[in-house]
Every structure is written in C-alpha cells, then in structure tokens.
Amino acid sequence: MRREKNKEFTRNLLIKSAMELFKKQEYQKTTIEEITKAAGVSKPTFFAYFKSKEQILYEFDQQQLKTFEVTMKSQVNNHNNLLINLRKAIVYMAANLHTSSMITQNMMHLLTINEDYKRLLSDTFVMFQAVTKEIIDYGQHHKIVTMDITSEEIATDIVNIYLGSLVNWVISNGSESLVCRMGDTLDHFLSAITIKN
C-alpha cells in the first residue's frame, strides 16, 4: 500500500515538474534531464513511469478529463444546475490543462509533428465528447435541453467550442483570460439550447 502511494507520488511529481517547465519554455526545448532534475529523480526513474515527454502531456490531459467526468456524473441528478455545472466543469478543465498559452501552443505544435500524441489526444477528445453527450442526453430526457438538435451534435459543438477557444486564445498570445473567453462562448451556446420554462 505504501509502495503504491510512493509510486503515485513520484508519477505525479514528474507530471507536475514537467508541466511547470512546459509552462516556462518551449516543449521541444525541455529535456528529460531537466524534468528529472526538477523532480529530484533519476533518468531511469523517469522511464520507469513514462516512455516519453508526450506521454506526460497525455497523462495530464487524462487526469483533467477524469476530474471532468467525475464532476459531471455527480451532477446528473441536479436538474436545476445541470448546464451551469457542465459549463463550470469544462472551463475548470480548460483552466487546469492550459495554465499558459505557451503550454497550449506546445500541445498544438506537438499535434502537427507527433502521430502518437495526435492519436492519444484524439482518444481524449472522443472521451470528452462521450461524457458531454451523456450529460446532454440526460438534459434532453428531463426537458432541460432542446430536442431540436441531437445530443451527439450538441456534444460535438461543445468540443468544437472548446478547441476553437483554445486556438483563438493561442493566436492572441493569451491576451485575454481563457476562462473568460471560453466561459462567454459556452454561455451563449448553452443559453441557446436550454429549454425556457
């Protein structure tokens, strides 16, 4: 039990150390040696947990997606605040994943040059869309969300809003808060699909 906790601690320490470095400098220029030095572990220890730097980004994405999933599944019986909490969970996930426009820019660049990372991130967005669709299905079943559009189309639109907000934020060099940019766009969209009583 204690050994498992130590493993989890080391794994999270490597992720945290890497993400701090990625926030400050270009992903491509960050070496595994710098990550292990920041974490206070050896290079063999790094490879005991991760195959590459890309896997760290993927693991971090997965942690945030899991938090989103748990948060949203706990809201399924909360009729009054379902869409408000969906918005909060999406914005929270974005804010934790994209703590600087440099990290987001690095992720986007990596998508263009690394097929493994592209595949992993694609899987992440499939899961994000599936969880969102499940919430929208629930909202439609309980007459919270319009039935004029399928839950799959709505979930796809929400994923596209997420991605579009990120691209727009990177292009503007993070001049506006990502939380505000994404939150405002989601507010408009969610308001349009909400059934008014």
Side-chain angles (χ1 to χ4, degrees):
M1 179 84 163
R2 188 171 183 198
R3 188 171 183 206
E4 288 304 311
K5 282 188 178 181
N6 287 340
K7 282 184 173 182
E8 190 65 23
F9 175 81
T10 302
R11 181 181 200 81
N12 288 332
L13 181 62
L14 283 163
I15 292 171
K16 182 179 177 193
S17 299
M19 295 308 292
E20 285 299 316
L21 286 166
F22 299 158
K23 190 192 317 188
K24 296 175 191 168
Q25 62 193 37
E26 288 182 37
Y27 169 86
Q28 295 291 23
K29 292 182 180 175
T30 303
T31 64
I32 290 172
E33 288 80 11
E34 288 175 309
I35 295 168
T36 56
K37 183 177 179 185
V41 300
S42 67
K43 199 170 173 183
T45 300
F46 176 93
F47 287 109
Y49 292 91
F50 301 103
K51 291 188 278 188
S52 63
K53 294 187 298 181
E54 293 84 2
Q55 193 181 6
I56 286 183
L57 281 176
Y58 176 69
E59 292 282 334
F60 190 69
D61 288 347
Q62 288 297 300
Q63 286 178 357
Q64 301 311 310
L65 183 63
K66 191 66 183 165
T67 300
F68 169 74
E69 183 178 12
V70 168
T71 301
M72 289 320 303
K73 290 198 173 174
S74 72
Q75 292 301 317
V76 164
N77 294 318
N78 190 349
H79 299 297
N80 296 331
N81 296 317
L82 185 72
L83 294 179
I84 291 167
N85 290 327
L86 175 62
R87 177 210 184 271
K88 283 181 186 175
I90 292 169
V91 170
Y92 178 81
M93 180 172 64
N96 281 322
L97 265 173
H98 304 279
T99 54
S100 77
S101 61
M102 176 64 81
I103 285 179
T104 307
Q105 189 174 350
N106 286 332
M107 288 174 165
M108 289 178 181
H109 175 68
L110 193 56
L111 280 172
T112 65
I113 62 171
N114 187 300
E115 286 300 318
D116 288 339
Y117 185 66
K118 185 187 288 186
R119 188 170 43 259
L120 292 171
L121 207 55
S122 175
D123 292 345
T124 299
F125 279 106
V126 166
M127 286 184 274
F128 175 27
Q129 185 169 348
V131 172
T132 303
K133 180 186 179 304
E134 191 176 327
I135 298 305
I136 298 301
D137 281 337
Y138 179 86
Q140 288 180 328
H141 179 75
H142 291 281
K143 299 186 178 12
I144 299 166
V145 177
T146 183
M147 298 289 286
D148 295 341
I149 312 167
T150 68
S151 60
E152 183 149 346
E153 290 171 313
I154 292 172
T156 298
D157 287 344
I158 288 172
V159 170
N160 288 337
I161 287 169
Y162 184 91
L163 291 169
S165 296
L166 291 177
V167 169
N168 196 293
W169 184 59
V170 167
I171 288 171
S172 73
N173 290 319
S175 61
E176 182 188 350
S177 159
L178 176 61
V179 167
C180 292
R181 184 178 298 259
M182 188 173 294
D184 289 348
T185 308
L186 283 168
D187 284 341
H188 296 308
F189 181 77
L190 295 174
S191 174
I193 64 166
T194 302
I195 294 176
K196 313 293 190 272
N197 294 326

